[in-house]
Amino acid sequence: MKTAEELKKINQQRVIDQICYVTEDYRRTMEYLTEKLDMGPWTIIENSNDTAFHVKKDGEKVSEPWKFYIAFTQVGNMHIEIIQPEYGPDPY
């Protein structure tokens, strides 16, 4: 394990511009981040085989039904994303 000083030096120039949470309940996660950290407003998208085509998983075309939700917001220069897989092949 690296020392605190080594980590401090490594992370001095790093920039994180996106964080993604994968959860079983995007609404609960979104409410928590809003209430505790004042994140928001949120954009929510439902994505499924009815709305997206030519989807692949592990290089193979997905033919069975699938669905997941995405909620996202911007905090300064950072993009925050919450994903909730609902059913079907789960790439997350």
Side-chain angles (χ1 to χ4, degrees), residues 36-49:
K36 300 296 183 186
L37 300 175
D38 294 325
M39 291 182 180
W42 296 88
T43 300
I44 301 167
I45 297 172
E46 178 183 308
N47 203 357
S48 73
N49 54 287

Side-chain angles (χ1 to χ4, degrees), residues 19-64:
I19 294 177
C20 178
Y21 299 92
V22 179
T23 180
E24 292 180 357
D25 187 340
Y26 80 89
R27 288 187 179 123
R28 190 177 77 206
T29 303
M30 186 176 62
E31 288 172 10
Y32 177 85
L33 293 173
T34 301
E35 290 175 16
K36 300 296 183 186
L37 300 175
D38 294 325
M39 291 182 180
W42 296 88
T43 300
I44 301 167
I45 297 172
E46 178 183 308
N47 203 357
S48 73
N49 54 287
D50 292 329
T51 59
F53 306 96
H54 310 293
V55 175
K56 293 183 178 184
K57 180 179 178 191
D58 299 325
E60 301 293 322
K61 184 176 179 181
V62 175
S63 57
E64 64 187 276

